[in-house]
Structure formats: structure tokens, C-alpha cells
Amino acid sequence: MRKNRFITTLMITCGTLAFALQLGMQDTYAATRSMNVNEWLQQCRSICVKVTQEKAVYSGKGCPTSYFDKRFKRSRYGKRTRLHCADYVSWCLQRYKVIPTGQRFWVKGQKIKGQNAKQIKKSKKIQRIMIAKKGIPASQLVQRTGTKSLKKGDMVSVVRKTGSGHHIQIYAGTDENGKMIFYMVSHIATMGGKDTRLDLTKMTTQSRDPYSKDPRIAMIIRVKGLKYIDFFKVTTTAGDHGTIDETRNIKWGGSGTFHITPDDGYRISTFKVDGKIVKISKTAKSYTIRNVKATHRIDVTFEKDPNAPEKPDTPEQPSQPDESGRPSSSDAQNPDSDKTDNGEKDNGEADSASESKSVGVGGATGNDALEEDGE
């Protein structure tokens, strides 16, 4: 009896460890969630990269596994990995921790189908938005405002003009030319049609759907709580004796270089990003902040540079005569500039000087002043 209990306990323990190990493998590709729409799309694109690296093909049969993890390898499926649009969108939601690992669904018009359809419908992390049974062109929905508008990051169920169809893809916003972009798995995103390898460029740059050039959207599935912020402010401050480039906005995931200019004879004393000291050279000319995904603050202070060379004294420049041969106006400040060629002062200037010296308090002459002092 004791032996049987021991074996039973051992089997339960091993089973628990195996299950935990399996979960760990499944979470290998799990992403952290900042709830920014750009990060959500980045995760969706990373799955496109993964499936093309594994030389996956588009197939209406879908992938044998409902999990997206490191086990999605060609070697596991006889060197033939395959998936369809529902696999792709389900894996995106799993990776972003919107739905549990292993759940999968597919769409048909305004309906959610599949063995996990009930769980998906009850999820508090996604919102289903009904648009129209026969769909409305994406170009019209993107112009709307409010809940029934098309927003960056939305998963869209698209249909034909008749309302038939079962395809889902992800709206990724517009490119620099204003062209709408969708991420998808479809025969139009392959190298040569159905059952051929998926192409990364075609998966991430499509502006249409399998049915039409302007996708007709019947239903939108939206991740709740996404933040639609594309630019973040990087605030800068500088102490005395130097400057740094002014505050600016930087696009999500982008970089920004800020130039630092100390005054002559000064160098960087402290450099902080978000209140934390960053070690940079005391004589650095610039600082680049990379992969910006939130607001930041840069503070820099300056100090005397002990290695700065001392400024030499500037010698006085001798006066130069003008074209007429006379001394320049600066000679008026020279006490000897009023002398004649013989070295003596002009008589008129001398008399004026002697008179000015004899003037006392109240304008009295020299003798009067002496008398007043003697009283």
C-alpha cells in the first residue's frame, strides 16, 4: 500500500512538473504589455517574422497546433509548417496575453466560430463591434470618429459584397504616403498562391483583402485599453554655464540626439535621465536616447574644467595714424597726446589747466580758498 501511494505521489509530481515546463515553453514568446498600440502591432509583426523564418505556407487546413511557441518549427511537422488567417490572429492575441495560451477562433462575417468561441465572446479584454452584415469599405470607416471607426491595431472580419466570406486581418495604420496597411496570412501574402510559402513583405504591406482592393469590414475586434499615442515628449533642462538642445517629441520606438554645449572653460558635471545618473564623458558633445516608448526627462549640469587652458592677457594695441597723418581718436585718451613736437603742451591748454587747478570750493580762486581755510 505504501509503495503504491509513493508511486502515485511520484507520478502526480512528475505530471505537475511536466505541465509547468509546458507552460514555460508556451510563454517563451509571451510579450510584456505596455498597452500601446504600436507595441501590440510590433508583436503582431514579430509573429510574421517567425512564421516566414520557419518557411510556413498558407493553408486552409490551418496549423495542427493551437499554440504559438518555440515548438512551431519545420522539424516538428515534417519540414512543412502551415497556418491560416485565424491561426495568425489567435497567436497574436495569445502572445500579447489577451487570450489564454492555446485558445483559437475563426470568424465568419459577424460571427466568432471555433471550439473556443464562447471563451472569446466572454473575454473582458476584447471588444466586438458590429459594423454591417455586407460590410463597409475600410476607406470610409477610417474617416469616422467614435467606437465604430476603424482604429490602428483593430482586427477586422472582412466579407465580399454579398456578405459571404471568412477572413480576418489586422489594420496597422497608414504608411508615409497615406496608404492603408494590413497584416495578414492569406494566399495574396504568399510567394505564389495557396500552399506556397508566406512572404514577409506581402504579409506586412497589404492594402487590400483577399476579396477586394478596399476591404469591406463586417465586424471589428478591438483590444481593450490600448493607448493610441505615437509621439512622446523628451524634456531637457540645463544648469548654468552651458546648454542642451530644447525639448522635443519623438516617435514611438524612435531615437533622438541632443547636443550639449558647455561654456568656455566648463564641462559636464552630472547627467541624468529620468532622475537616474547616466555615465557619459565629461566632454561629451551629444547624447542619443533610443527606443523611446514613454516620456523622458534629461537634466545636465556643468562645472569648471580643471584641464581648460587659461586665457592669455590681451596686450594693448598701439595706435595707428589715420590717412591725414594725425593720431587716431584713441590717442585722446593718451595723456601725452596733447604735447607738441617739442614735448611741451600748447599754451592755451596750459593756461586752462592752471586756471582749473586754482579753482576751490564754490568756484573761489586759489587765494580766496586759502584765506577761507585760514579763518
Side-chain angles (χ1 to χ4, degrees):
M1 291 294 292
R2 290 182 179 179
K3 186 176 181 180
N4 291 337
R5 287 179 182 177
F6 174 76
I7 293 174
T8 302
T9 304
L10 182 62
M11 290 177 65
I12 292 172
T13 303
C14 292
T16 303
L17 290 173
F19 180 72
L21 180 61
Q22 184 182 23
L23 287 178
M25 291 178 67
Q26 293 169 5
D27 286 339
T28 302
Y29 280 86
T32 56
R33 299 203 311 161
S34 69
M35 297 309 293
N36 184 284
V37 67
N38 294 290
E39 186 162 63
W40 154 243
L41 289 171
Q42 185 182 59
Q43 303 305 328
C44 296
R45 191 181 189 283
S46 71
I47 293 181
C48 294
V49 173
K50 172 65 176 177
V51 298
T52 53
Q53 286 176 343
E54 296 299 329
K55 299 180 180 180
V57 301
Y58 167 73
S59 172
K61 295 179 181 179
C63 184
T65 180
S66 59
Y67 297 90
F68 178 73
D69 52 37
K70 277 192 172 181
R71 294 178 298 167
F72 184 75
K73 291 182 177 292
R74 297 181 69 219
S75 58
R76 188 181 181 201
Y77 303 111
K79 297 184 178 181
R80 185 175 173 81
T81 48
R82 68 176 191 263
L83 71 158
H84 52 42
C85 62
D87 292 325
Y88 170 63
V89 173
S90 297
W91 289 346
C92 290
L93 291 170
Q94 288 180 33
R95 178 177 170 85
Y96 208 56
K97 300 180 181 179
V98 177
I99 63 175
T101 303
Q103 284 193 3
R104 182 167 54 175
F105 70 97
W106 55 279
V107 296
K108 185 177 181 180
Q110 293 185 324
K111 296 180 180 179
I112 290 180
K113 299 283 189 175
Q115 66 182 39
N116 299 120
K118 289 184 178 180
Q119 294 95 317
I120 300 299
K121 290 177 183 178
K122 292 180 180 180
S123 174
K124 295 181 180 180
K125 295 181 179 180
I126 59 174
Q127 179 182 12
R128 289 189 301 145
I129 305 165
M130 304 303 172
I131 302 300
K133 288 185 178 181
K134 293 186 178 182
I136 294 178
S139 60
Q140 295 181 24
L141 289 178
V142 78
Q143 302 295 330
R144 291 184 178 181
T145 58
T147 302
K148 289 194 173 184
S149 63
L150 180 60
K151 293 184 178 181
K152 187 176 177 180
D154 283 348
M155 295 156 282
V156 295
S157 173
V158 297
V159 295
R160 300 179 181 90
K161 287 185 178 181
T162 59
S164 64
H166 45 85
H167 177 76
I168 188 168
Q169 57 194 40
I170 301 172
Y171 176 53
T174 57
D175 63 11
E176 61 274 7
N177 298 317
K179 174 185 172 185
M180 299 179 73
I181 298 297
F182 292 90
Y183 293 170
M184 70 174 70
V185 168
S186 169
H187 66 84
I188 64 172
T190 63
M191 294 180 177
K194 192 175 181 179
D195 291 325
T196 62
R197 282 175 53 188
L198 289 159
D199 181 87
L200 179 60
T201 300
K202 292 181 179 180
M203 290 179 72
T204 56
T205 59
Q206 292 290 338
S207 60
R208 54 168 300 165
D209 67 12
Y211 311 128
S212 60
K213 291 184 178 180
D214 192 356
R216 301 186 67 86
I217 298 174
M219 176 177 64
I220 293 174
I221 299 176
R222 182 173 295 158
V223 177
K224 289 183 178 180
L226 285 180
K227 299 174 183 178
Y228 300 89
I229 304 174
D230 288 328
F231 290 88
F232 295 90
K233 181 183 287 187
V234 178
T235 305
T236 59
T237 63
D240 296 336
H241 307 296
T243 62
I244 187 171
D245 286 350
E246 294 181 354
T247 296
R248 77 176 74 143
N249 291 323
I250 298 177
K251 192 173 183 178
W252 185 93
S255 302
T257 298
F258 294 84
H259 296 91
I260 307 164
T261 309
D263 292 346
D264 290 343
Y266 286 83
R267 66 179 186 180
I268 296 172
S269 175
T270 61
F271 192 90
K272 295 181 180 180
V273 177
D274 298 331
K276 297 181 179 179
I277 292 179
V278 176
K279 293 183 178 180
I280 64 172
S281 171
K282 294 282 187 179
T283 57
K285 301 297 182 184
S286 64
Y287 176 80
T288 300
I289 185 168
R290 305 180 189 279
N291 198 24
V292 175
K293 295 181 179 179
T295 56
H296 294 283
R297 181 184 178 90
I298 298 175
D299 301 287
V300 58
T301 61
F302 303 92
E303 64 185 7
K304 276 279 189 180
D305 185 355
N307 300 319
E310 296 183 1
K311 292 183 179 180
D313 295 334
T314 304
E316 295 183 3
Q317 298 295 327
S319 60
Q320 300 293 331
D322 58 19
E323 294 180 358
S324 62
R326 297 177 181 176
S328 63
S329 59
S330 62
D331 291 341
Q333 300 175 1
N334 189 336
D336 296 333
S337 63
D338 55 353
K339 293 183 179 180
T340 61
D341 293 341
N342 296 328
E344 296 180 355
K345 291 185 178 182
D346 183 77
N347 291 334
E349 293 180 358
D351 292 341
S352 299
S354 63
E355 289 179 2
S356 62
K357 287 180 181 179
S358 64
V359 176
V361 178
T365 60
N367 293 333
D368 294 335
L370 291 172
E371 291 177 357
E372 289 175 0
D373 292 339
E375 292 180 354

